[in-house]
């Protein structure tokens, strides 16, 4: 969590009733640059990560610090059941099986070899080729992928299953699958702040304006950064 997001959350904490515990939902967590710092400041949250190794790394970090967070090793999509993913191959064999913080890579310069090894852990993506959909394949010849099957559920199903009645912050970063999640969501519960990555929309045949329209139709005020869009309810 960095930049505008951290500034906003800090202001949000000061502005709102500090006696009420804040909650978040993070979809597509990987195991670096996550929302876990919020848990260190009294928040509780649910982190959704479909890649087993990365989910297990998160669980270890949460257990070691005694944080109020739950990890779900699954994907969020537009249906309940299973889906195919293209899982990044390689990071398990580079020794990068711990979180960024425990690896001492928090301040690793962008462009360095160590940063690149951490960055590509988060490039696994949903494979829509068998259903006729487009794929947000990362344009990087250095990356290799393997096919895996993961469990999935709709966002509304998750809300119901975990009896979520309110959310202060929801973050979605799923390598181009964001609109599949949001277009199938009923918005019976409006997270107060929504952050959605839009960087891979073009590779999936979609456009930033599709996310803007969807959020604004559901009563969100939106503003856009280079790679993300924010919705304020």
């Amino acid at each position: 969590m960095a930049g505008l997001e951290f500034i906003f959350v800090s202001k949000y904490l000061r502005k709102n009733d500090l006696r009420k515990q804040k909650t978040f939902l993070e979809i597509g967590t990987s195991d670096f640059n996550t929302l876990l710092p919020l848990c260190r400041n009294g928040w509780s949250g649910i982190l959704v990560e479909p890649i087993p190794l990365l989910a297990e790394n998160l669980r270890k970090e949460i257990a070691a610090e005694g944080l109020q967070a739950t990890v779900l090793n699954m994907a969020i999509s537009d249906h309940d059941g299973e889906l195919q993913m293209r899982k990044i191959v390689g990071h398990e064999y580079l020794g990068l099986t711990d979180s960024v913080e425990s690896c001492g890579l928090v301040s690793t310069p962008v462009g360095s070899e160590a940063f690149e090894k951490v960055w590509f852990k988060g490039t696994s993506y949903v494979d829509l080729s068998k259903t006729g959909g487009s794929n947000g394949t990362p344009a990087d010849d250095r990356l290799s992928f393997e096919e895996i099957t993961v469990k999935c559920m709709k966002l509304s199903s998750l809300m119901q299953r975990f009896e979520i009645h309110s959310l202060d912050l929801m973050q979605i970063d799923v390598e181009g699958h964001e609109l599949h999640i949001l277009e199938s969501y009923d918005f019976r519960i409006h997270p107060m702040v929504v952050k959605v990555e839009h960087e891979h929309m073009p590779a999936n045949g979609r456009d930033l304006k599709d996310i803007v329209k969807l959020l604004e139709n559901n009563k969100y005020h939106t503003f856009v950064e280079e790679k993300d869009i924010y919705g304020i309810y």
Side-chain angles (χ1 to χ4, degrees), residues 13 18 47 73 75 78 106 157-158 162 180 185-187 218 233:
L13 279 169
L18 295 178
L47 303 99
N73 181 204
D78 54 6
V106 173
S157 299
L158 183 147
F162 289 90
H180 289 80
Y185 181 51
D186 56 21
F187 282 94
N218 284 281
Y233 184 68

Side-chain angles (χ1 to χ4, degrees), residues 130-194:
K130 294 180 181 179
T131 59
S134 301
N135 289 299
T137 309
D140 194 320
D141 294 336
R142 297 171 298 172
L143 305 181
S144 298
F145 298 87
E146 63 183 3
E147 192 93 356
I148 64 171
T149 301
V150 302
K151 293 181 179 179
C152 69
M153 67 169 59
K154 295 188 295 184
L155 179 54
S156 54
S157 299
L158 183 147
M159 296 284 194
Q160 183 176 7
R161 175 177 172 181
F162 289 90
E163 299 182 345
I164 298 173
H165 304 296
S166 65
L167 274 176
D168 295 287
L169 174 63
M170 180 171 72
Q171 177 171 297
I172 306 177
D173 179 354
V174 288
E175 305 302 299
H177 201 60
E178 290 81 9
L179 273 170
H180 289 80
I181 294 172
L182 290 172
E183 288 180 338
S184 62
Y185 181 51
D186 56 21
F187 282 94
R188 292 184 182 181
I189 296 167
H190 285 80
M192 297 303 296
V193 181
V194 175

Side-chain angles (χ1 to χ4, degrees), residues 3-230:
L4 180 59
E5 179 182 359
F6 187 83
I7 293 171
F8 176 82
V9 169
S10 298
K11 290 182 177 179
Y12 185 76
L13 279 169
R14 290 196 297 267
K15 180 180 179 181
N16 288 271
D17 186 357
L18 295 178
R19 293 171 296 179
K20 176 183 176 295
Q21 185 179 48
K22 304 302 177 186
T23 58
F24 70 83
L25 171 62
E26 183 171 17
I27 301 172
T29 306
S30 192
D31 67 350
F32 63 96
N33 193 29
T34 75
L35 295 183
L36 282 181
L38 293 177
C39 293
R40 301 183 183 106
N41 287 278
W43 289 55
S44 65
I46 295 176
L47 303 99
V48 182
E49 172 52 50
I51 306 304
L53 175 63
L54 302 183
E56 182 59 25
N57 289 344
L58 288 169
R59 290 192 178 108
K60 290 178 180 178
E61 185 173 0
I62 289 166
E65 297 189 44
L67 302 176
Q68 295 189 60
T70 299
V71 178
L72 303 181
N73 181 204
M74 64 183 310
I76 303 300
S77 188
D78 54 6
H79 66 282
D80 297 330
E82 294 182 339
L83 56 71
Q84 298 299 115
M85 288 195 67
R86 300 283 289 170
K87 172 185 171 293
I88 184 69
V89 175
H91 64 80
E92 301 96 328
Y93 312 110
L94 291 170
L96 294 173
T97 56
D98 295 316
S99 70
V100 174
E101 291 185 347
S102 61
C103 286
L105 297 173
V106 173
S107 58
T108 303
V110 174
S112 69
E113 181 180 0
F115 179 88
E116 289 297 322
K117 289 179 180 179
V118 172
W119 163 80
F120 77 70
K121 289 195 293 181
T123 57
S124 300
Y125 63 95
V126 174
D127 183 3
L128 298 176
S129 60
K130 294 180 181 179
T131 59
S134 301
N135 289 299
T137 309
D140 194 320
D141 294 336
R142 297 171 298 172
L143 305 181
S144 298
F145 298 87
E146 63 183 3
E147 192 93 356
I148 64 171
T149 301
V150 302
K151 293 181 179 179
C152 69
M153 67 169 59
K154 295 188 295 184
L155 179 54
S156 54
S157 299
L158 183 147
M159 296 284 194
Q160 183 176 7
R161 175 177 172 181
F162 289 90
E163 299 182 345
I164 298 173
H165 304 296
S166 65
L167 274 176
D168 295 287
L169 174 63
M170 180 171 72
Q171 177 171 297
I172 306 177
D173 179 354
V174 288
E175 305 302 299
H177 201 60
E178 290 81 9
L179 273 170
H180 289 80
I181 294 172
L182 290 172
E183 288 180 338
S184 62
Y185 181 51
D186 56 21
F187 282 94
R188 292 184 182 181
I189 296 167
H190 285 80
M192 297 303 296
V193 181
V194 175
K195 178 185 177 184
V196 183
E197 185 184 56
H198 63 75
E199 181 181 11
H200 301 292
M201 286 291 101
N204 283 268
R206 305 302 295 270
D207 192 89
L208 170 60
K209 66 177 181 292
D210 296 326
I211 304 179
V212 172
K213 181 178 180 180
L214 185 148
L215 290 175
E216 291 182 348
N217 284 346
N218 284 281
K219 303 180 180 180
Y220 283 89
H221 298 283
T222 62
F223 58 98
V224 178
E225 289 190 312
E226 180 182 359
K227 297 181 179 181
D228 304 293
I229 180 170
Y230 289 79

